[in-house]
Amino acid sequence: MLKRCILLHCLFFALFGSGPVQAEPTNSPSGKQLFREHCATCHGPSGRGGIGLPLHLEDFLRIADRQYLMETIKHGRPGRVMPGFAHLLTRTERGRIADFIEGWQKGPEAELPEVGEGSADHGAELFERNCAGCHGYKGQGGTQPKAAPGHITGKKAVVPPALNNSGFLAAASDAFIKATMLRGREGTPMRAYGGAEELTDQQMNDLVAYIRSWGQGVDPLAKPVIEVRSDLPMDELIPMLKMSINSHNFVFIRQQTLYEGLPPAAKKPDSPVHILQFCSFGLLDKALKVDERVGAFLPCQISVYREGGRTVMSAINPKALSPLFHKPELELFCSLVSEKYLRIMQEANF
Ligand code: HEC
Ligand code: HEC
């Protein structure tokens, strides 16, 4: 599908040049089709939610402006389940999806509140008392209940989203954050705090200041190593990881331990480090055409080991290293691979 889109676009530009786009190719997918293809598995076919938050929700739609939707679709929520679509969909396609989502809104846009100056210190106390129980001690968000994830049971456990997340903080304005507190999201566990005996206006400003104090928030792809930690024991996690690798269209090559093949004199660690190697020949082909130096990252590999009572999956982050090569096309490729790594690890742990 993606290939077809790219092809169509190329054809379009070949015919009409790359000037301002006046018309779209008539058979390009609609916002509705794109939503079904890229979003519905998680957000539900009519946006009522599942693994992803309900989007077809009046309290959300009235305060979420176009920029919020566009930024969210572009960045996703790195490190959370929500993928970023910057490399998968064009801006025009992302715009069509945003239009489609906005079409669900019935009432008028809400008037967004003024946000006055607040104290992050006061906000931190308020957050711990009122919000941390759901959104996590440092705003890292909740997790899907393992026993009954929404996509299997159809029951919608609306998981509290991460607030200290780079994708959320890039998309949300202060007014959006305050408006969410004021009105809550009817039909979800997020209630309104705007009532008389609830938070005062100043306290809400303090909370906004605290949430902003997280700066750009957490982006697990900003560090040179991508890591996901799991409570599953190693022998349960590794088969899941292999399945996840396959489901992302990579071919599993081999599994070995770190010291395999070394002379017996090499001291083995108490707990083995397993290395899983895999490859995508399609991706490899494309990457080598861009730059042979991608060989430095290949084949793809993820190490699995125990640390502090948990199982750790870790991989080199091509996105963080790609600036060393000074080549924009290579950066794009590396970002794609990094996002795949993260997703493979997250889904293994799901
Ligand atoms: C693999 C599952 C998954 C897919 C696919 C997915 N999302 Fe999400 N989405 C989520 C999750 C989970 C969250 C909440 C993030 C969190 O928990 O921190 C979310 C959050 C969002 C939000 C923020 C909602 C709010 O209340 O602020 C928007 C908007 C959104 N997704 C739109 C989309 C669109 C549009 C697509 C398709 C282009 C899409 N998502 C694809 C899982 C997904
Ligand atoms: C009982 C659990 C619960 C509590 C307590 C709670 N929230 Fe939420 N919050 C949620 C859920 C669930 C959502 C997602 C709602 C949805 O589906 O749109 C949410 C959404 C939000 C959002 C929007 C995030 C996004 O991605 O759109 C913000 C901002 C927020 N909460 C802030 C707060 C603050 C600040 C507090 C404390 C004053 C708080 N919440 C208390 C459960 C909770």
Side-chain angles (χ1 to χ4, degrees):
M1 192 53 170
L2 188 64
K3 263 199 207 125
R4 215 187 78 209
C5 296
I6 294 168
L7 223 101
L8 271 175
H9 276 267
C10 291
L11 197 68
F12 185 70
F13 286 123
L15 289 175
F16 302 103
S18 56
V21 179
Q22 302 290 335
E24 285 293 323
T26 47
N27 57 348
S28 61
S30 67
K32 184 177 180 173
Q33 284 167 321
L34 289 165
F35 185 88
R36 290 204 167 229
E37 186 176 340
H38 298 282
C39 325
T41 31
C42 291
H43 290 284
S46 50
R48 302 279 178 190
I51 290 174
L53 298 179
L55 305 174
H56 196 151
L57 197 70
E58 199 61 15
D59 277 325
F60 168 67
L61 293 168
R62 287 198 191 185
I63 64 164
D65 60 11
R66 191 174 177 78
Q67 168 150 357
Y68 181 81
L69 292 175
M70 289 299 279
E71 291 294 302
T72 299
I73 300 170
K74 181 174 167 193
H75 300 294
R77 301 279 163 90
R80 305 284 295 166
V81 182
M82 166 80 193
F85 289 88
H87 306 307
L88 297 172
L89 298 171
T90 64
R91 195 182 155 77
T92 318
E93 287 169 329
R94 300 196 300 263
R96 267 186 245 140
I97 296 178
D99 289 340
F100 175 65
I101 293 172
E102 284 178 331
W104 286 324
Q105 186 179 331
K106 294 206 177 65
E109 286 294 299
E111 207 177 300
L112 293 182
E114 294 282 331
V115 185
E117 215 163 296
S119 145
D121 286 344
H122 289 163
E125 282 165 35
L126 290 165
F127 191 86
E128 205 171 314
R129 212 168 327 127
N130 297 284
C131 326
C134 289
H135 289 285
Y137 164 61
K138 283 242 182 313
Q140 73 274 24
T143 46
Q144 280 276 350
K146 276 234 155 42
H151 66 308
I152 295 173
T153 58
K155 251 195 245 146
K156 284 164 208 139
V158 183
V159 173
L163 304 178
N164 73 351
N165 182 273
S166 61
F168 174 70
L169 291 167
S173 64
D174 290 357
F176 173 91
I177 297 174
K178 188 167 173 183
T180 305
M181 283 185 244
L182 271 168
R183 29 183 332 135
R185 303 262 173 96
E186 204 183 332
T188 82
M190 179 68 201
R191 65 189 176 87
Y193 288 84
E197 80 284 21
E198 303 284 347
L199 300 170
T200 64
D201 192 62
Q202 185 55 49
Q203 287 175 319
M204 286 189 213
N205 293 343
D206 294 344
L207 277 160
V208 171
Y210 176 57
I211 290 171
R212 279 295 164 211
S213 76
W214 289 320
Q216 303 195 325
V218 173
D219 176 353
L221 295 183
K223 297 198 198 119
V225 174
I226 307 170
E227 251 183 33
V228 173
R229 283 161 198 268
S230 167
D231 291 322
L232 291 176
M234 204 134 77
D235 57 344
E236 276 178 44
L237 189 67
I238 288 175
M240 299 295 281
L241 192 53
K242 287 181 185 164
M243 268 164 52
S244 187
I245 286 168
N246 285 330
S247 77
H248 281 267
N249 296 325
F250 285 85
V251 179
F252 177 71
I253 304 173
R254 74 173 77 86
Q255 174 184 345
Q256 60 181 57
T257 48
L258 190 56
Y259 286 76
E260 218 165 289
L262 290 185
K267 194 170 168 286
K268 292 206 170 84
D270 299 339
S271 153
V273 177
H274 291 277
I275 299 170
L276 275 65
Q277 296 189 323
F278 50 100
C279 194
S280 154
F281 296 104
L283 213 56
L284 181 66
D285 227 33
K286 268 187 231 145
L288 287 172
K289 280 190 191 122
V290 175
D291 195 319
E292 293 83 0
R293 289 174 298 172
V294 292
F297 301 127
L298 298 168
C300 296
Q301 71 178 40
I302 295 178
S303 312
V304 187
Y305 52 90
R306 297 286 292 173
E307 190 180 85
R310 306 187 77 195
T311 308
V312 184
M313 294 172 267
S314 89
I316 293 277
N317 180 3
K319 182 179 173 179
L321 301 180
S322 67
L324 300 175
F325 292 98
H326 299 294
K327 197 165 189 180
E329 307 94 286
L330 196 58
E331 281 185 37
L332 185 70
F333 167 80
C334 289
S335 300
L336 259 171
V337 174
S338 293
E339 278 162 28
K340 289 261 189 205
Y341 272 150
L342 185 61
R343 204 133 294 277
I344 285 171
M345 294 186 210
Q346 286 175 336
E347 283 171 25
N349 186 32
F350 199 63

